[in-house]
Amino acid sequence: MNISYVFSARSLFRLARAILIALIAASAVPGANAEDAAASKTPNVTIPIHYLTKQYDEPVPLSLVDPILTDNGVQGARLGVEDDNKSGHFVNQTYELVEDVLPVDADVAARAKEILSNGPAVIIADLEADDLLAVADLPEAKGAIIFNVRLSDDALRAKQCRANIFHMAPSFAMRADALAQYLIWKRWPKWFLLKGTAPTDDDYAAMVRRAAGRFGGKVIEERTYAFDAANPRTDSGHQQIQTQMPEVTQGAASHDVVWVVDTIERFGEYVPYRVYEAKPVVGTQGLSAVAWHRSYEQYAGMQMQHHFERFAKRIMTERDYSAWLAARAIGEAALRTNKTDVTDLRAYILSPDFTVAGFKGEGLSFRAWDHQLRQPMLITGARSLVSMSPQEGFLHEKNLNDTLGYDAPETECRFPD
């Protein structure tokens, strides 16, 4: 018989017996059971999180590769609440997602009034700009936490900012700055800007010009694509596109990249590989700056991708990610403070102590001056991560992520006292 094996087995037996005796003794200590009983009697608090949206007409993807989604965003909120409940279980906190999907012609402010009738609430707002502001401007919403998970409009972070809106979606300025930093790092400073006619196209294009001024780029020419692209799914559609795109990009001044701005997916998908000169395509299509992408796997991002796909049976979109982060921000604030009052949670979310994990390699936090979530941006192609911004060499005195979007000295947002 192996003597060392006998000694090891006996040692393990003695250790196990000692632990068992200690546990029995601890259970007999006066007050121990009372403390356990008191802990078990701590009341369970339910924290409702409202997901408020409408049945808007969504842009139809130009490519059959991208499915038409009817649950974009809400699946992220559902998973976020499920994750909140996993951690909340240990402190007797329960989270409940209340989903309100209204008809497109419904009065969203009236529904928000009902939600806020019992006091300040947490609302994940998957709303267009007019509806978002209508909800935020309700007197009942003054103390609410309203997470914007859909809109990138910089006006909502500037002159139209509201103190009760927290922006989970990256702004157009953040997207343009993130991409501009990479292009400057690559020494591709000359940009041919091709934009659509939607109001959001104008907004994003303005941020491209701003980014050029900030980082040393130059918009050498700007053109507007003002007509509908042909349908490439018809028998001759691809031939029309193949002819049309070289024509609209022909004769441009010397440039390094074609920067496409098509925020509502009317033509941008057709630009790569069809431009007149052999140049990279960047912007809303081609090489893009986004908060989340199906190819992202860094900083445990792969685990998040699989986690979501098991839950929702599809890939995670950027809006899903923003809604998931919104739910997680509330869960993190409640867990860290052990408070559930919306006023207390809001104060903590805006404090220097708050961060929420977003699989970006660092804690994410909100800017005090416009309530935009600061975060690294992914620079991605169609099937892979190319880079992450902020890029090396673009410095900031406090937080490198504040090189993306409007910094405190630049903001036009003025919250009321």
Side-chain angles (χ1 to χ4, degrees):
M1 180 179 292
N2 190 319
I3 297 176
S4 62
Y5 173 81
V6 173
F7 177 79
S8 176
R10 287 177 178 174
S11 298
L12 289 173
F13 174 78
R14 289 169 182 169
L15 178 60
R17 184 175 63 178
I19 292 173
L20 180 60
I21 293 172
L23 290 173
I24 294 172
S27 67
V29 174
N33 289 336
E35 290 176 1
D36 292 342
S40 66
K41 291 181 181 178
T42 301
N44 190 291
V45 179
T46 298
I47 304 173
I49 298 176
H50 297 267
Y51 192 93
L52 185 59
T53 188
K54 279 186 173 182
Q55 295 173 329
Y56 298 111
D57 290 332
E58 302 281 358
V60 177
L62 293 180
S63 172
L64 281 175
V65 172
D66 298 319
I68 297 175
L69 301 179
T70 59
D71 57 357
N72 192 8
V74 69
Q75 287 284 26
R78 290 168 182 166
L79 182 59
V81 168
E82 181 178 279
D83 291 344
D84 286 345
N85 279 316
K86 290 176 182 177
S87 57
H89 169 75
F90 297 100
V91 289
N92 287 332
Q93 293 172 353
T94 299
Y95 299 83
E96 178 187 6
L97 186 66
V98 183
E99 300 177 21
D100 283 301
V101 182
L102 307 179
V104 70
D105 58 350
D107 186 347
V108 69
R111 177 63 190 124
K113 272 189 175 184
E114 296 175 8
I115 294 172
L116 298 162
S117 60
N118 294 321
V122 177
I123 299 175
I124 298 177
D126 184 0
L127 298 170
E128 295 290 356
D130 290 345
D131 288 328
L132 178 66
L133 293 178
V135 172
D137 288 341
L138 290 171
E140 297 88 345
K142 185 176 181 180
I145 299 174
I146 303 172
F147 290 112
N148 163 35
V149 299
R150 174 185 283 256
L151 303 173
S152 293
D153 310 40
D154 281 274
L156 296 172
R157 287 98 167 150
K159 292 183 178 180
Q160 296 184 42
C161 69
R162 301 293 191 271
N164 53 4
I165 298 179
F166 294 77
H167 301 283
M168 310 307 294
S171 65
F172 285 133
M174 291 174 65
R175 299 178 193 276
D177 288 350
L179 198 48
Q181 286 187 12
Y182 179 73
L183 296 179
I184 296 302
W185 183 84
K186 285 290 294 178
R187 294 185 173 87
W188 295 342
K190 295 185 293 184
W191 311 332
F192 169 27
L193 182 61
L194 180 64
K195 72 179 190 69
T197 58
T200 47
D201 293 343
D202 293 335
D203 294 344
Y204 189 7
M207 295 304 107
V208 175
R209 299 183 208 105
R210 172 181 174 272
R214 296 186 83 199
F215 301 119
K218 184 177 181 181
V219 178
I220 56 93
E221 187 167 339
E222 181 175 332
R223 295 182 184 177
T224 299
Y225 188 90
F227 48 95
D228 289 333
N231 185 353
R233 296 176 187 171
T234 62
D235 292 341
S236 60
H238 71 280
Q239 296 174 351
Q240 296 179 52
I241 293 297
Q242 185 169 321
T243 301
Q244 200 174 103
M245 289 303 158
E247 289 178 352
V248 78
T249 57
Q250 184 176 3
S254 176
H255 55 280
D256 297 312
V257 300
V258 178
W259 195 315
V260 174
V261 176
D262 175 27
T263 59
I264 60 172
E265 294 195 55
R266 292 183 62 188
F267 70 94
E269 200 67 44
Y270 304 147
V271 179
Y273 312 110
R274 295 185 176 99
V275 292
Y276 187 78
E277 295 185 46
K279 300 294 183 182
V281 173
V282 306
T284 50
Q285 285 78 27
L287 189 69
S288 301
V290 293
W292 192 257
H293 190 266
R294 68 187 71 179
S295 66
Y296 180 67
E297 57 185 348
Q298 281 67 25
Y299 300 110
M302 180 63 75
Q303 284 85 336
M304 183 61 190
Q305 302 280 14
H306 292 330
H307 183 38
F308 185 86
E309 288 172 15
R310 286 193 299 269
F311 178 83
K313 304 299 185 294
R314 63 171 177 79
I315 65 167
M316 189 178 216
T317 68
E318 187 180 60
R319 198 185 304 171
D320 289 321
Y321 177 71
S322 294
W324 175 82
L325 262 182
R328 289 297 298 122
I330 290 299
E332 186 69 15
L335 181 66
R336 297 297 177 186
T337 62
N338 200 25
K339 297 178 180 178
T340 58
D341 182 78
V342 173
T343 302
D344 293 330
L345 297 180
R346 177 171 162 171
Y348 181 71
I349 284 173
L350 288 173
S351 75
D353 297 328
F354 172 80
T355 61
V356 60
F359 297 93
K360 298 288 184 71
E362 60 185 273
L364 311 182
S365 60
F366 289 96
R367 292 172 179 153
W369 53 92
D370 60 4
H371 294 181
Q372 171 67 57
L373 184 76
R374 53 166 70 91
Q375 60 176 309
M377 296 290 289
L378 314 182
I379 308 300
T380 68
R383 296 173 61 85
S384 67
L385 179 74
V386 175
S387 185
M388 290 181 70
S389 289
Q391 295 292 318
E392 183 177 353
F394 292 88
L395 304 179
H396 191 276
E397 59 183 359
K398 295 181 180 179
N399 191 315
L400 293 180
N401 290 318
D402 287 338
T403 64
L404 307 178
Y406 281 86
D407 200 0
E410 305 170 295
T411 186
E412 294 181 328
C413 177
R414 297 292 181 269
F415 293 135
D417 297 331

